[in-house]
Amino acid sequence: RRGKGPYTADLHVPIPGAEEGGADIVALAVHLYPESEVCPMTGELLGKARLRQRHLARMRWLFIGMRRKEWLALPDTASRIDALDRAIS
């Protein structure tokens, strides 16, 4: 876990050299959100999660939101790596 201002990320992955190089994205911030932060009809993030996404974007962190229940159901590390790869691409 790593924090930035009032936010914490379940997984923080800094991008080496991005800060000094002036890159658009300096880190990845994975947030495992509960069902209560998602609209059941559309699957869109709601209030607090959307605000977090906007604020992290302004800090040049790429917000990657994943459903906590689905993440915890993944059987092993390899499956979680594959899920992150799919979310990023």
Side-chain angles (χ1 to χ4, degrees):
R1 282 189 170 267
R2 168 110 194 267
K4 180 81 171 184
Y7 300 109
T8 59
D10 293 301
L11 175 63
H12 172 262
V13 182
I15 299 172
E19 198 70 65
E20 298 82 27
D24 291 338
I25 302 296
V26 297
L28 306 178
V30 178
H31 173 58
L32 303 177
Y33 53 80
E35 290 179 13
S36 63
E37 291 184 7
V38 180
C39 175
M41 301 289 286
T42 64
E44 295 285 323
L45 292 174
L46 298 175
K48 189 169 81 170
R50 288 180 71 177
L51 181 63
R52 174 191 305 254
Q53 184 178 28
R54 286 195 306 268
H55 285 175
L56 291 176
R58 291 187 59 94
M59 294 183 287
R60 302 185 323 174
W61 285 25
L62 178 61
F63 175 91
I64 301 169
M66 303 181 81
R67 293 177 187 249
R68 180 179 294 143
K69 188 181 278 188
E70 292 173 8
W71 177 264
L72 294 175
L74 294 172
D76 55 17
T77 303
S79 299
R80 291 178 176 173
I81 291 170
D82 291 340
L84 285 173
D85 282 341
R86 283 192 306 276
I88 292 170
S89 55

